[in-house]
Amino acid sequence: MAVPARTCGASRPSAARTPSPWPGPGAQRPAPGPPRPLLLLLLPPLLLLSLLAAPGASAYSFPQQHTMQHWARRLEQEIDGVMRIFGGVQHLREIYKDNRNLFEVQENEPQKLVEKVAGDIESLLDRKVQALKRLADAAENFQKAHRWQDNIKEEDIMYYDAKADAELDDPESEDMERGSKASTLRLDFLEDPNFKNKVNYSYTAVQIPTDIYKGSTVILNELNWTEALENIFIENRRQDPTLLWQVFGSATGVTRYYPATPWRAPKKIDLYDVRRRPWYIQGASSPKDMVIIVDVSGSVSGLTLKLMKTSVCEMLDTLSDDDYVNVASFNEKAQPVSCFTHLVQANVRNKKVFKEAVQGMVAKGTTGYKAGFEYAFDQLQNSNITRANCNKMIMMFTDGGEDRVQDVFEKYNWPNRTVRVFTFSVGQHNYDVTPLQWMACANKGYYFEIPSIGAIRINTQEYLDVLGRPMVLAGKEAKQVQWTNVYEDALGLGLVVTGTLPVFNLTQDGPGEKKNQLILGVMGIDVALSDIKRLTPNYTLGANGYVFAIDLNGYVLLHPNLKPQTTNFREPVTLDFLDAELEDEHKEEIRRSMIDGNKGHKQIRTLVKSLDERYIDEVMRNYTWVPIRSTNYSLGLVLPPYSTFYLQANLSDQILQVKSPVSVADFEFLLPSSFESEGHVFIAPREYCKDLNASDNNTEFLKNFIELMEKVTPDSKQCNNFLLHNLILDTGITQQLVERVWRDQDLNTYSLLAVFAATDGGITRVFPNKAAEDWTENPEPFNASFYRRSLDNHGYVFKPPHQDTLLRPLELENDTVGVLVSTAVELSLGGRTLRPAVVGVKLDLEAWAEKFKVLASNRTHQDQPQKCGPSSHCEMDCEVNNEDLLCVLIDDGGFLVLSNQNHQWDQVGRFFSEVDANLMLALYNNSFYTRKESFDYQAACAPQPPGNLGAAPRGVFVPTIADFLNLAWWTSAAAWSLFQQLLCGLIYHGWFQADPAEAEGSPEARESSCVMKQTQYYFGSVNASYNAIIDCGNCSRLFHAQRLTNTNLLFVVAEKPLCSQCEAGRLLQKETHSDGPEQCELVQRPRYRRGPHICFDYNATEDTSDCGRGASFPPSLSVLVSLQLLLLLGLPPRPQPQVHAHASPRL
C-alpha cells in the first residue's frame, strides 16, 4: 500500500501486516524483512520510542500484534460459543428436518414467474383499454350529434359541480360573487375503500378551473353534450367493477369524471386545470422539441419582463419527460439562459434549472429577432444529441417589433415548414403586432397575446391544440392508447398510471367541407399502482427478492424503493431505476435492454443499501426481465441465489380434521396466555384473510387474527392458504426451538437480554416474554433490517441500537439496552439450499462491555487482572490500561458496538467519527472502510422561510409615489396593465403569493420534496491484521485494526489521543440536504431512453389558416377614470362575466 500523504489525520502503515512484534523497550532488533516505510525511518529514535511507550507510564508498551490477534481470537470464540448455544442454528435445522412431512420445497423459476406476472399486468391494462375505447368512441359520436346552442343559459344545465360545496361555504368564491344561476345537483356520498374517498356511483362530477367562467356559451355547450357520457361511465363499471376514476378532460378546460365525489378544495386558490395534467399533455400531442426564445431588449419594461418570466415558467409546465427543451434570451445576440447549451429532457430537475435561470434575465440592448431565431433553428438542427425527433417548435416571447426575419425562415424552414413558430405578444404596448402574426402564420404556428397575468395560463397551453391537428387528421391511426409515467392522483387515490386516448372532433361545417382539425380532449382511466402490485408474488420471493417495472424513460413503475415522502400532483413521480438502486455498469446494461423491449437474464455482484439506509452489502443477485406487451413498460424480477427455493406448508390434512382452528396445538402458542412459558410472538401484519382488521399495534392485530380464526378455518376461501399455513407451520417450528433449547438455558449466565427467531412465514418469537417490552424491530421480518442483512451476509451480524446525533445519548437503565446479533439458518434439503429463518441473541450492552474488556486483556484466568510492577515491562491491555488505551468494536457500517471506555457506552450506535474522528479517518485512509455516496430524490424537507417580499404580491410591479403624482403615468400602458393585475388579484385572492403546490391543494405546506445526499461506509479491501501510526506531529497515535472472523465487526486498539488538533478531518455519515448532482454535467452524458414509438407532427391536409389574431383591448377614457378612482379609493371592482377576455379565442 502506498504511503498516505502527510496530512493531519492521515496514517501510515507499519513495516509488515504479518504477526511480527512491534519494538518495545528492551526488544531485540527485528530480523531483516521488508523495508520500513520511509516516514518511519525518518522519525527520530527518541520520538519513536515515545510513540511506542504508553503515555502514562514507562512500564507499559503498546500491545504487540500477536497479542492483539490473540485477543481477537478470544472475542471470536466467545461470540461463536454464545451463538452456538443460544442461537440454535443447528437445532433449528434438525427441527425443520423432523417436520419434513409438514412442508414442501418449491422452486422459483424466474423466467416463468416474470412472464406470468407480465401477462397478468397486460390483461389488467387491456381491460382498461377496452373501456377507454368505448368512452372515446361514444364521446366523438355524442359531440358530432350535438346541436350548438348560442342562447343556452346556465339554468338550462343540470350537473354536479364538484366544487359547489366548497364554494357555497366560501362567501368570496367566484359563484357567490357572480350569483351563479347554474342548477347544481346536491348528492349523497358513501365511503368507498377502493377510491379512498366518498363517492356516488349514479352521477358524474364536473370540475371547471377557477379562471374559466362557468356561464360562457362554450362551457355550457360542453356541459350539455358531455352529460351523455354518464351512462357510458356507468356501463363500463358494470362490465369491469375494478375500474377506478374514468375521466374526460376537455380542451376547453372542463373535467367530467366518474364516480362523482366532491373536489378536494385547497386552502388557497384552486389552480387545477386538466389541460396541465401529465396524462392530458401526453394524450393530446406527440413528443416535442421546443426552443423558447425571450426578448430581453431594453424596450421590455419591468412589468413586461416579469410577465415574460412567468409565461416561460408556465410554458415549461406544459412539457413532459417525453419532450426536449432549451430556453434562450436575445437582444442583439442570443444566449442560453442556463448552463444548458443544447436541448435537454424536460424532466423535473432540468425544468427547475430553467425556472431559476429565467428569473435572472435582465433587459438591455436592442431587439434582434434574427439572432434569436437563428439560435433556435441551430438548436433544433443539432442531430448529435438525444431529442424527441417529433414536433419541432419555436416559442418567442416579445413586446413587439417590426422585423419579420423572412430571410431566416427561407434559410432554415421553408418550403417544408418542419418547425412551427408560435409568437407571444407580452404586455400592454402600442407596437404593431402584424409582424408577429405573420411569423406564426407563415410557419404553421399561432399568435397569442398576453396583456396581463390573467392571460398567461390559458395562452401558454393552447398551442397544444395546434399540435393536435395532425393527430386528428390521422384519424384511427392516431387512436392509440398510451400509458403515462407514475404520478399522484389529484383526488387522493395515491400513485397511479393512466391510460389515455385522444378524442377528436368529427364534425364538418357543411357538405364537402374540410375535416375538422380540433382535438376535443383526452379520455383517461386510472390504474392504481397498488392494484398492479397485487399481481406480483409477495412472499415466495423471500425478504430480498422483488419485482420491478420501468418505462421507456427508465423510470420505475414498480419498485420496493419507490416511496416518495411528499408528492406534488402537478409533476409526475420520476424515479430512475438507477436512482432507485445503487448504480453500476451491470444495471445500466439491464436498464437499456429493458427499455429496448428485450428479454434477458443476468447474474451480477452488486451493492445494496440496507432497509434502514445505514449499511451497504455486496451481494449476488439474479435479474430476469421481459417486456409487458401492448404497453411501454418492461417487467423485471430480482432474486438472491438463496431464494431460488422456498417452503410451502402442507397442513391441509391436519387442519381439515378440526372445526375450530384454535384447538390445533400450533395455534395455542399464538395465544397471549402461552407467552410466559413459550416466549412472546409477533406476527407479520399480512393480509391473511379478507376480513382481518389491520392494526399498527401488533398486540391488537394478533387479537384480531385470533378472533377471526375462531370463526373461519385456515382453508376458508376468504383466506390466503399459503400465508396462513406457513404462519401455522412456523409457529410450531419456533415453539419447538423454545422447548429444545431456550427454556433450559440461563440467559443471565451469558449476559443476554433475549433470544429470538424470525421466519419467512411471518413469525418473530422473542424469549423470555418480558424482553418483548423492549423489542423495537419491525414485526414484519421482510421489513426488518436485521433479517434482510442476515440473509445477505455469512456469519454473525451485529446491529447496535440506532442513535440520532440530534437526540440524547442512550439511557442505560435496568440493563435494557442491547445489541442484536443475528445469523441466517441455511437448510439443505435434497440438494436444494434455502434460508427460511434468522435466529439471534440480544446482548446486554453494559455487561458485554465489561466482558469485552476482560477478553481483550492479559488475564490468564477469571480472577484478578495482571498488573506490572514498577521495575517490570509489560504490554498494555484494554482492561487495566483503559485510561491510556482505547479498545472498540465497530461494525461494517462504521457504527460503535462496544468500547472499553465507560463514558462511551451511551454512544454505542453512533457513527464512530462522532466518537473519535481522528481514528475513524485513519481507518478510512487505510482502506478498512470504503465510502458510497448516493442521492435520495424522494426525501421530504421543511419548507424554506419565505423571502422578504414586502406587502406586494410576488412578481407584480409596484408604482412609486412619483409615479402616482405623474399625470403621464396614469395614461400609460403600465397603469392599464397594473389595473388588470389588480383586477385579477381581487378575483384570485392570494394567487400571486401562493406557491403552486400549496395553491393547488397540497395537504400542508409543512414539507416539500427535496434531494438528500446519503453516505454509507462498508468494509474495504483490507482483511488482514494491520498496524499503523496516525501521524499528526505531537498528536501521533499508534493503532491496530483487525476484522473478526465470521462477523461484521472490526476490532480496533489505539492509543488515546493526547490532543485534539487533528479533529479537522471528520468523516460525515449523516444524511444532508443537497441540490443533487450537477445538472449541467449530467445533461452532457444523458441516460439512455426511448420516446414513444408513434409521432404525428405532419399532415398534408392540415389547414394552417387559423393562426391567431390580436385581441386588442385599448383602454377608454372612462376606464382610465374608473382606474384612478379604484386606485385612489381602494374599492374592489366587480369582475366582468368574462374574466379572461384578453385571452386568445379557442382555436
Side-chain angles (χ1 to χ4, degrees):
M1 176 175 294
V3 178
R6 189 182 179 95
T7 56
C8 187
S11 60
R12 299 172 296 169
S14 66
R17 299 181 189 176
T18 56
S20 58
W22 272 61
Q28 294 182 352
R29 191 177 186 84
R36 286 176 175 271
L38 179 60
L39 290 179
L40 266 183
L41 295 176
L42 295 177
L43 282 173
L46 290 177
L47 175 60
L48 181 59
L49 287 175
S50 66
L51 286 171
L52 298 178
S58 60
Y60 293 101
S61 66
F62 191 81
Q64 299 183 70
Q65 190 165 356
H66 69 81
T67 301
M68 292 178 283
Q69 289 177 335
H70 171 66
W71 297 345
R73 284 193 294 273
R74 290 170 65 175
L75 289 167
E76 292 165 358
Q77 291 167 3
E78 184 72 13
I79 294 167
D80 186 64
V82 169
M83 290 299 291
R84 284 181 181 275
I85 295 172
F86 292 94
V89 173
Q90 188 57 41
H91 293 92
L92 200 55
R93 289 194 186 111
E94 294 171 0
I95 293 171
Y96 273 109
K97 290 178 181 178
D98 292 345
N99 293 275
R100 185 67 182 83
N101 63 313
L102 297 181
F103 61 84
E104 299 172 354
V105 179
Q106 302 290 349
E107 182 177 1
N108 282 315
E109 299 180 67
Q111 194 64 39
K112 289 184 179 179
L113 265 177
V114 75
E115 287 179 352
K116 179 185 183 304
V117 175
D120 292 343
I121 294 175
E122 181 188 357
S123 299
L124 170 71
L125 299 184
D126 185 64
R127 293 196 297 272
K128 317 307 176 189
V129 167
Q130 299 310 314
L132 265 177
K133 291 180 176 178
R134 287 192 292 270
L135 281 169
D137 291 344
E140 290 172 349
N141 291 329
F142 291 151
Q143 196 275 339
K144 186 176 181 179
H146 174 256
R147 296 290 181 184
W148 179 268
Q149 301 179 47
D150 287 321
N151 299 321
I152 193 170
K153 299 178 181 179
E154 289 186 71
E155 51 264 35
D156 298 334
I157 306 296
M158 292 285 293
Y159 69 98
Y160 172 67
D161 183 349
K163 297 194 292 185
D165 294 338
E167 289 173 345
L168 288 174
D169 294 337
D170 181 6
E172 297 182 347
S173 71
E174 176 187 353
D175 279 355
M176 293 296 291
E177 289 181 353
R178 292 174 180 161
S180 175
K181 302 175 182 178
S183 301
T184 301
L185 299 172
R186 303 301 296 269
L187 304 180
D188 295 323
F189 301 94
L190 294 176
E191 193 71 37
D192 190 313
N194 294 321
F195 287 89
K196 303 177 184 178
N197 221 327
K198 293 182 177 181
V199 300
N200 184 308
Y201 281 113
S202 299
Y203 294 91
T204 58
V206 171
Q207 189 273 349
I208 300 174
T210 305
D211 52 345
I212 292 180
Y213 176 42
K214 299 175 183 179
S216 72
T217 304
V218 171
I219 297 301
L220 293 176
N221 275 277
E222 194 84 7
L223 292 172
N224 192 17
W225 77 259
T226 57
E227 182 183 3
L229 289 173
E230 201 164 82
N231 293 330
I232 310 301
F233 285 139
I234 294 173
E235 176 60 20
N236 271 348
R237 182 176 179 272
R238 188 191 67 78
Q239 295 188 31
D240 182 5
T242 67
L243 281 176
L244 296 176
W245 300 122
Q246 304 175 63
V247 187
F248 174 61
S250 167
T252 62
V254 173
T255 305
R256 188 180 285 272
Y257 60 91
Y258 175 87
T261 190
W263 191 249
R264 287 195 160 196
K267 293 185 177 180
K268 294 194 177 183
I269 195 75
D270 178 22
L271 299 182
Y272 181 94
D273 189 320
V274 69
R275 295 167 295 183
R276 288 178 172 269
R277 299 295 286 135
W279 64 270
Y280 183 95
I281 293 170
Q282 181 170 323
S285 64
S286 295
K288 302 173 278 295
D289 286 324
M290 176 187 291
V291 179
I292 302 173
I293 53 176
V294 186
D295 180 1
V296 292
S297 61
S299 63
V300 178
S301 68
L303 180 57
T304 302
L305 184 59
K306 291 177 184 293
L307 290 176
M308 287 184 181
K309 292 176 180 180
T310 304
S311 299
V312 172
C313 293
E314 291 290 335
M315 179 69 71
L316 289 169
D317 284 338
T318 68
L319 302 178
S320 72
D321 289 77
D322 290 332
D323 304 321
Y324 282 75
V325 64
N326 201 357
V327 182
S329 61
F330 70 90
N331 37 43
E332 302 93 339
K333 296 181 180 179
Q335 60 183 7
V337 298
S338 70
C339 57
F340 301 145
T341 59
H342 55 73
L343 292 171
V344 297
Q345 187 181 15
N347 58 40
V348 173
R349 293 195 286 277
N350 286 341
K351 288 193 287 188
K352 180 182 178 183
V353 172
F354 282 127
K355 290 178 181 180
E356 292 174 352
V358 162
Q359 301 308 315
M361 293 189 306
V362 177
K364 61 181 179 180
T366 59
T367 303
Y369 286 159
K370 183 173 184 179
F373 277 108
E374 285 184 338
Y375 178 89
F377 279 114
D378 287 339
Q379 289 277 300
L380 293 172
Q381 290 182 355
N382 185 355
S383 59
N384 297 324
I385 58 169
T386 306
R387 55 184 186 174
N389 285 319
C390 192
N391 285 296
K392 297 179 179 61
M393 68 203 68
I394 299 172
M395 325 297 278
M396 183 180 72
F397 293 88
T398 181
D399 62 343
E402 298 179 357
D403 191 1
R404 300 191 177 200
V405 290
Q406 181 171 337
D407 57 330
V408 176
F409 298 133
E410 290 175 347
K411 177 181 177 181
Y412 289 95
N413 204 36
W414 294 354
N416 296 326
R417 292 173 170 78
T418 55
V419 177
R420 296 182 188 267
V421 174
F422 295 86
T423 54
F424 298 81
S425 175
V426 183
Q428 289 288 338
H429 52 75
N430 297 319
Y431 297 118
D432 181 12
V433 299
T434 305
L436 299 181
Q437 293 175 318
W438 179 88
M439 291 180 195
C441 295
N443 293 279
K444 298 172 63 175
Y446 208 90
Y447 165 73
F448 299 93
E449 288 187 357
I450 302 178
S452 65
I453 194 82
I456 290 178
R457 283 171 61 84
I458 190 168
N459 283 332
T460 54
Q461 67 193 21
E462 289 207 337
Y463 76 93
L464 292 172
D465 291 340
V466 177
L467 300 189
R469 292 172 182 171
M471 185 182 289
V472 176
L473 295 172
K476 292 184 178 179
E477 184 184 354
K479 297 298 287 288
Q480 299 189 34
V481 174
Q482 296 187 68
W483 291 96
T484 66
N485 297 332
V486 177
Y487 69 95
E488 177 80 4
D489 173 50
L491 290 171
L493 201 58
L495 296 180
V496 299
V497 293
T498 299
T500 65
L501 196 60
V503 179
F504 301 151
N505 190 331
L506 303 183
T507 61
Q508 293 180 332
D509 293 335
E513 294 290 331
K514 288 185 177 180
K515 185 178 180 181
N516 199 299
Q517 302 182 130
L518 288 180
I519 184 170
L520 292 176
V522 178
M523 202 67 72
I525 289 183
D526 288 346
V527 179
L529 291 194
S530 56
D531 289 342
I532 299 177
K533 193 173 181 180
R534 287 193 189 98
L535 302 177
T536 65
N538 282 333
Y539 300 103
T540 60
L541 304 181
N544 290 316
Y546 57 91
V547 171
F548 71 97
I550 66 174
D551 63 17
L552 294 180
N553 282 301
Y555 300 147
V556 293
L557 163 73
L558 294 176
H559 199 285
N561 294 335
L562 179 62
K563 296 180 267 190
Q565 301 301 307
T566 64
T567 49
N568 174 2
F569 68 75
R570 296 186 78 200
E571 299 172 345
V573 179
T574 53
L575 179 65
D576 196 283
F577 169 65
L578 298 179
D579 295 323
E581 305 193 359
L582 293 177
E583 181 177 357
D584 60 41
E585 60 182 13
H586 299 298
K587 291 176 184 175
E588 287 181 14
E589 294 174 8
I590 292 169
R591 178 181 176 277
R592 176 183 285 265
S593 179
M594 294 179 72
I595 290 174
D596 287 339
N598 300 323
K599 294 183 178 181
H601 175 83
K602 192 178 184 71
Q603 185 178 74
I604 65 173
R605 178 169 291 278
T606 186
L607 299 178
V608 297
K609 201 180 296 183
S610 67
L611 198 63
D612 56 13
E613 299 182 329
R614 285 159 61 87
Y615 299 93
I616 295 286
D617 291 311
E618 188 174 10
V619 299
M620 293 297 297
R621 291 289 188 264
N622 292 306
Y623 283 74
T624 308
W625 60 93
V626 298
I628 303 175
R629 292 187 297 270
S630 304
T631 73
N632 291 331
Y633 304 135
S634 184
L635 189 76
L637 171 67
V638 181
L639 271 182
Y642 54 77
S643 292
T644 302
F645 301 98
Y646 63 94
L647 299 184
Q648 180 172 350
N650 184 17
L651 308 177
S652 298
D653 294 340
Q654 293 91 328
I655 289 176
L656 292 176
Q657 292 173 3
V658 295
K659 294 182 179 179
S660 176
V662 178
S663 66
V664 180
D666 287 340
F667 266 101
E668 285 182 19
F669 304 117
L670 286 179
L671 299 175
S673 58
S674 72
F675 288 174
E676 199 59 42
S677 62
E678 310 299 331
H680 194 101
V681 175
F682 298 92
I683 67 171
R686 300 173 181 175
E687 194 175 341
Y688 301 101
C689 300
K690 292 180 180 178
D691 292 340
L692 178 58
N693 294 325
S695 173
D696 293 333
N697 184 298
N698 200 257
T699 301
E700 184 178 342
F701 181 74
L702 180 61
K703 178 175 174 289
N704 297 340
F705 176 82
I706 293 172
E707 289 177 353
L708 183 62
M709 289 300 100
E710 292 174 345
K711 302 174 184 176
V712 301
T713 65
D715 271 11
S716 169
K717 290 183 179 180
Q718 67 155 297
C719 295
N720 184 318
N721 289 345
F722 173 82
L723 292 182
L724 205 50
H725 288 200
N726 276 30
L727 183 77
I728 297 170
L729 172 69
D730 287 354
T731 302
I733 292 286
T734 56
Q735 188 279 329
Q736 291 180 46
L737 185 63
V738 177
E739 191 174 300
R740 296 190 190 186
V741 183
W742 295 346
R743 193 182 295 159
D744 297 331
Q745 299 290 345
D746 183 6
L747 301 186
N748 293 328
T749 303
Y750 288 87
S751 305
L752 302 181
L753 297 176
V755 288
F756 60 89
T759 70
D760 279 0
I763 291 291
T764 301
R765 189 180 293 273
V766 180
F767 185 87
N769 182 41
K770 66 177 182 179
E773 297 174 5
D774 303 307
W775 187 259
T776 58
E777 304 301 320
N778 197 309
E780 169 57 81
F782 285 13
N783 292 336
S785 185
F786 83 88
Y787 192 86
R788 294 172 67 161
R789 292 205 70 214
S790 297
L791 294 176
D792 271 335
N793 290 274
H794 292 285
Y796 308 124
V797 178
F798 282 69
K799 179 179 179 287
H802 175 62
Q803 277 208 73
D804 192 316
T805 55
L806 299 179
L807 302 179
R808 61 184 177 180
L810 291 173
E811 296 181 359
L812 300 174
E813 296 179 0
N814 304 321
D815 297 333
T816 57
V817 176
V819 176
L820 288 190
V821 188
S822 56
T823 187
V825 178
E826 186 165 285
L827 295 181
S828 184
L829 302 169
R832 293 170 292 185
T833 302
L834 63 160
R835 298 176 185 172
V838 168
V839 295
V841 302
K842 190 175 185 180
L843 309 179
D844 182 335
L845 174 60
E846 192 169 356
W848 268 78
E850 293 292 347
K851 181 179 293 191
F852 168 58
K853 289 193 285 188
V854 173
L855 292 170
S857 74
N858 295 323
R859 283 200 202 192
T860 55
H861 301 286
Q862 293 296 324
D863 48 10
Q864 295 299 319
Q866 176 182 339
K867 294 184 179 180
C868 296
S871 61
S872 61
H873 296 284
C874 59
E875 297 173 338
M876 291 188 290
D877 68 26
C878 300
E879 183 183 20
V880 174
N881 308 99
N882 62 346
E883 292 184 2
D884 303 314
L885 203 62
L886 171 67
C887 303
V888 292
L889 290 177
I890 313 172
D891 70 14
D892 55 329
F895 298 97
L896 180 62
V897 176
L898 288 175
S899 172
N900 73 331
Q901 306 296 310
N902 292 17
H903 70 277
Q904 291 181 352
W905 292 354
D906 63 357
Q907 298 184 65
V908 166
R910 286 194 173 176
F911 186 58
F912 191 60
S913 186
E914 299 165 11
V915 181
D916 191 328
N918 184 233
L919 183 52
M920 184 62 194
L921 181 61
L923 294 172
Y924 174 72
N925 286 340
N926 285 280
S927 300
F928 279 100
Y929 286 96
T930 299
R931 179 167 57 195
K932 182 68 177 178
E933 295 179 339
S934 58
F935 294 97
D936 177 8
Y937 294 101
Q938 306 178 88
C941 297
Q944 297 294 323
N948 183 16
L949 300 179
R954 183 174 65 200
V956 178
F957 169 70
V958 181
T960 64
I961 296 297
D963 289 325
F964 280 105
L965 298 177
N966 187 338
L967 183 61
W969 183 85
W970 284 98
T971 58
S972 69
W976 172 242
S977 186
L978 177 62
F979 167 66
Q980 294 181 77
Q981 296 205 43
L982 288 172
L983 187 63
C984 289
L986 291 167
I987 297 171
Y988 306 128
H989 306 286
W991 185 6
F992 303 124
Q993 296 96 333
D995 177 82
E998 186 180 356
E1000 290 200 17
S1002 286
E1004 313 233 335
R1006 295 175 185 168
E1007 291 185 332
S1008 59
S1009 61
C1010 62
V1011 180
M1012 299 295 286
K1013 183 179 181 180
Q1014 295 184 341
T1015 305
Q1016 289 90 13
Y1017 292 80
Y1018 60 103
F1019 280 152
S1021 57
V1022 177
N1023 291 311
S1025 180
Y1026 194 72
N1027 292 318
I1029 295 177
I1030 304 174
D1031 181 22
C1032 195
N1034 294 329
C1035 290
S1036 295
R1037 302 166 63 188
L1038 295 172
F1039 78 90
H1040 166 91
Q1042 179 174 342
R1043 296 264 294 273
L1044 295 189
T1045 305
N1046 210 34
T1047 72
N1048 67 325
L1049 296 179
L1050 181 69
F1051 176 42
V1052 182
V1053 179
E1055 291 179 321
K1056 294 183 73 173
L1058 292 173
C1059 53
S1060 59
Q1061 70 185 52
C1062 288
E1063 291 295 311
R1066 181 183 295 271
L1067 295 177
L1068 297 178
Q1069 188 273 338
K1070 184 184 175 184
E1071 191 176 56
T1072 57
H1073 187 273
S1074 171
D1075 292 329
E1078 180 55 56
Q1079 286 298 117
C1080 303
E1081 297 177 3
L1082 287 181
V1083 297
Q1084 301 302 323
R1085 48 181 193 283
R1087 287 171 172 166
Y1088 181 72
R1089 65 172 296 277
R1090 289 180 61 191
H1093 62 280
I1094 55 174
C1095 173
F1096 299 96
D1097 61 343
Y1098 172 78
N1099 190 289
T1101 64
E1102 178 183 349
D1103 180 8
T1104 61
S1105 60
D1106 182 10
C1107 53
R1109 52 195 176 274
S1112 181
F1113 192 9
S1116 65
L1117 182 60
S1118 60
V1119 171
L1120 285 176
V1121 171
S1122 301
L1123 169 63
Q1124 294 181 49
L1125 292 174
L1126 286 169
L1127 288 174
L1128 293 174
L1129 301 178
L1131 298 176
R1134 294 294 297 168
Q1136 298 301 314
Q1138 296 284 357
V1139 226
H1140 48 274
H1142 309 303
S1144 296
R1146 175 89 177 96
L1147 300 180

